[in-house]
Amino acid sequence: MRTLTTGRTTGFLPALTLAVSLALAGCSDPATQTADAAVPAAPGQVQPENWPLQPSPLSRDAATEARIADLLARMTLEEKVGQIIQADIDSVTPDDVRRYHLGSVLNGGNSAPNKDNRAHPREWLKLADAFWLASTDKQGGRLGIPVMWGTDAVHGQSKIVGATLFPHNIGLGATNDPDLLRRIGEITAKEILVTGQDWTFAPTIAVARNDRWGRTYESYSENPELVRRYASAIIEGLQGKLGTPAYLGPDHLLATAKHFVGDGGTLDGIDTGNNLSSEADLRDIHAAGYPPAIAAGAQVVMASFNSWHGQKMHGNKALLTDVLVGRLGFDGFVVGDWNGHAHVPSCSENQCLAALN
């Protein structure tokens, strides 16, 4: 794990790093390599050795690792469960965050402070502070792990009246200008931070290959090379450049590379549908943006609603763990899409061991 900072709190973000500890195993740090020689595989069968091998761009800090181990050793089962739950602000209060040890909240759809989606920015900040203060309350032996708040600022802080709105990704892709994406990311980060959120569910780095897909406008291009170049630029804009003091510093926040993987290539363009690409096409086309996003320091990846050859991504260990973590060097945490775990066979919104594991 790494020491991370956000614009509203400084230093360690235990909610994030504990989620990593609970959700993912560590990955090795070999020198960056290209994929091994292709090995034929049956449709829908992943062979991780066919994917690029790259190290995590961030080294682990011994003091931080020791702190995580200490926190985990002192956490109750209820605290561990709470840390991996993200609840909508329309459904939970700051007191609920305190009571259930929630690790994160989000504002989805029209969710807003006081159910007013035209609320003034100061109302957003007031609610963010209330959630944070509730989560860090150590009374009664609580560990006081800070809550995180994620928001769908996918083309600017679009939830806030008066914030800057940028073209959707399909328009930005037409500019063929990665530096523009970097500047847009910087502006978006600042306009999120002033309303108190720590995290944006962006960028979408899908490669849309069927215009019938209703979310085609969220894709920068059908060209994987352009998406590859854009992925690192927007991550750097939102999070700051890796290896500099700007990285996750006061003017930057967490980004989310999404949706892993294959959302832009489902049969007939059906959202949440089935991607029947070969493993090579899944790797070279639909996953093209992930190696550069991870190399740029992306700390969150969102699992996709879609299936690959009939297996839902939210329960796909081969791709989420063996490939994303074991081969691509991802050492952050995977977040589910809106109740996406419930799409996995035998699962429901309230229980899904297959997705958790």
Side-chain angles (χ1 to χ4, degrees):
M1 313 309 161
R2 276 78 50 199
T3 300
L4 303 180
T5 60
T6 68
R8 222 162 43 83
T9 61
T10 57
F12 179 58
L13 260 183
L16 185 151
T17 48
L18 281 172
V20 182
S21 298
L22 292 165
L24 297 176
C27 61
S28 57
D29 265 0
T32 301
Q33 302 177 33
T34 56
D36 298 337
V39 178
Q45 179 182 341
V46 177
Q47 298 207 342
E49 63 270 23
N50 291 338
W51 290 70
L53 179 63
Q54 65 180 32
S56 168
L58 290 160
S59 59
R60 294 188 175 186
D61 174 73
T64 302
E65 294 297 316
R67 184 175 182 188
I68 293 166
D70 175 64
L71 285 168
L72 283 168
R74 291 189 285 129
M75 289 176 76
T76 65
L77 178 60
E78 288 77 10
E79 286 173 319
K80 291 177 180 179
V81 170
Q83 282 299 299
I84 59 171
I85 292 175
Q86 183 174 71
D88 192 287
I89 64 169
D90 262 2
S91 302
V92 294
T93 64
D95 188 60
D96 291 328
V97 167
R98 178 189 294 107
R99 179 181 179 186
Y100 298 112
H101 317 285
L102 299 184
S104 61
V105 296
L106 81 156
N107 57 288
N110 288 324
S111 301
N114 307 313
K115 301 188 183 298
D116 176 11
N117 59 19
R118 299 183 66 83
H120 191 277
R122 64 174 168 265
E123 295 301 316
W124 288 83
L125 184 58
K126 180 180 177 181
L127 182 58
D129 286 343
F131 278 128
W132 191 87
L133 288 170
S135 69
T136 56
D137 180 0
K138 294 186 177 182
Q139 295 183 63
R142 293 171 46 86
L143 292 177
I145 299 171
V147 72
M148 299 164 62
W149 183 343
T151 187
D152 265 312
V154 295
H155 64 129
Q157 175 55 311
S158 56
K159 305 295 184 181
I160 309 299
V161 176
T164 308
L165 293 183
F166 298 98
H168 272 296
N169 289 354
I170 194 171
L172 297 176
T175 69
N176 196 23
D177 187 351
D179 287 336
L180 175 63
L181 264 290
R182 190 175 288 104
R183 295 198 299 274
I184 287 173
E186 292 171 352
I187 294 166
T188 301
K190 290 179 180 178
E191 295 195 349
I192 296 171
L193 289 167
V194 298
T195 56
Q197 289 76 54
D198 308 295
W199 172 15
T200 177
F201 302 131
T204 298
I205 51 176
V207 180
R209 302 304 289 247
N210 189 318
D211 290 345
R212 289 176 289 181
W213 183 38
R215 300 179 69 168
T216 294
Y217 65 92
E218 292 187 50
S219 173
Y220 293 119
S221 177
E222 64 181 11
N223 180 348
E225 178 55 35
L226 190 147
V227 174
R228 183 181 291 113
R229 289 192 293 120
Y230 270 29
S232 57
I234 187 66
I235 292 289
E236 283 187 0
L238 289 164
Q239 294 195 164
K241 186 172 178 60
L242 189 66
T244 73
Y247 181 69
L248 294 177
D251 292 329
H252 296 279
L253 43 63
L254 285 170
T256 305
K258 67 182 191 182
H259 308 83
F260 192 84
V261 62
D263 47 344
T266 58
L267 182 65
D268 296 329
I270 296 171
D271 195 35
T272 79
N274 195 17
N275 186 313
L276 296 175
S277 299
S278 66
E279 183 182 16
D281 283 349
L282 189 71
R283 177 194 66 206
D284 298 337
I285 297 173
H286 299 290
Y290 288 92
I294 293 165
Q299 290 294 282
V300 188
V301 167
M302 184 179 290
S304 185
F305 277 136
N306 68 271
S307 305
W308 184 58
H309 289 274
Q311 184 174 357
K312 284 294 182 181
M313 283 304 308
H314 279 69
N316 195 317
K317 176 183 180 295
L319 286 167
L320 289 179
T321 300
D322 300 341
V323 168
L324 182 62
V325 177
R327 297 292 295 189
L328 303 187
F330 181 62
D331 199 16
F333 70 89
V334 173
V335 64
D337 206 343
W338 187 272
N339 287 332
H341 57 278
H343 296 197
V344 178
S346 80
C347 291
S348 68
E349 289 184 6
N350 296 326
Q351 57 181 7
C352 189
L353 190 60
L356 178 64
N357 286 339

